[in-house]
């Protein structure tokens, strides 16, 4: 019984590694093949369509700290959204409500559409990039996280 629990608990970790491997392969080849899309649909069925829409039609900005090379991403809200500010994505975290309700609470859910869009945009070379000093980067992250909390409080 203990072995069963251990293998079940490692499933999300191995699925995350597989997801990253698919994205790494997309980056290496420069495009996503039918095989890639099928694997992504299997790994992230609820997030893939929204993520593809984001990569095709919205902005994913990569924000880099010059000295430490830390990174966060800003994913613009859809044009019809009531949300005034972009979502903040860090590795394995997003400020969207879907992440809190559908990803963080379910071990089988690997990413929200924003987190998957970040992975795809990075793999396909479709991010806009900005670099700041580490202090300015930290201030920007803090500012965007505060705006995300305000957006969540207004809905």
């Amino acid at each position: 019984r203990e072995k069963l629990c251990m293998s079940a608990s490692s499933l999300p970790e191995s699925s995350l590694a597989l997801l990253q491997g698919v994205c790494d392969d997309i980056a290496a080849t420069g495009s996503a093949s039918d095989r890639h899309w099928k694997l992504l649909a299997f790994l992230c069925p609820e997030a893939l369509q929204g993520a593809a829409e984001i990569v095709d039609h919205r902005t994913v900005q990569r924000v880099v700290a010059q000295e430490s090379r830390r990174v966060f991403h800003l994913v613009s809200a859809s044009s019809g959204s009531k949300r005034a500010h972009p979502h903040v994505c860090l590795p394995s975290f997003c400020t969207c409500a879907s992440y809190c309700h559908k990803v963080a609470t379910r071990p089988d859910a690997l990413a929200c559409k924003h987190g998957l869009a970040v992975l795809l945009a990075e793999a396909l070379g479709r991010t806009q990039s900005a670099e700041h000093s580490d202090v300015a980067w930290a201030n920007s992250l803090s500012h965007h996280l505060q705006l995300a909390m305000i957006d969540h409080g207004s809905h």
Side-chain angles (χ1 to χ4, degrees):
R1 184 173 186 202
E2 189 174 309
K3 285 183 182 180
L4 180 62
C5 291
M6 287 189 332
S7 63
S9 68
S10 67
L11 182 62
E13 188 175 304
S14 61
S15 296
L16 282 171
L18 182 56
L19 176 59
Q20 188 59 57
V22 172
C23 292
D24 290 347
D25 195 49
I26 291 170
T29 60
S31 65
S33 67
D34 286 342
R35 180 179 155 272
H36 292 128
W37 290 115
K38 287 177 184 174
L39 284 168
L40 291 168
F42 175 75
L43 292 167
C44 301
E46 294 178 22
L48 183 57
Q49 184 175 352
E53 189 272 334
I54 290 168
V55 172
D56 284 345
H57 302 291
R58 298 199 328 239
T59 303
V60 177
Q61 183 179 25
R62 181 178 206 259
V63 185
V64 182
Q66 290 171 335
E67 296 85 20
S68 66
R69 307 310 296 167
R70 292 182 175 127
V71 174
F72 70 88
H73 291 83
L74 297 172
V75 179
S76 62
S78 62
S79 57
S81 173
K82 293 179 184 178
R83 182 177 181 81
H85 308 288
H87 295 284
V88 179
C89 293
L90 294 159
S92 299
F93 175 76
C94 180
T95 57
C96 74
S98 180
Y99 181 86
C100 294
H101 300 293
K102 295 181 179 178
V103 178
T105 60
R106 291 182 26 215
D108 61 316
L110 301 180
C112 65
K113 67 183 181 181
H114 310 101
L116 183 57
V118 165
L119 292 172
L120 289 172
E122 285 284 355
L124 293 167
R126 292 193 190 171
T127 59
Q128 295 179 359
S129 196
E131 281 198 23
H132 303 288
S133 70
D134 280 36
V135 170
W137 180 91
N139 289 336
S140 179
L141 177 60
S142 176
H143 172 75
H144 286 290
L145 289 171
Q146 288 173 4
L147 292 175
M149 288 190 295
I150 291 168
D151 278 349
H152 283 297
S154 65
H155 293 103

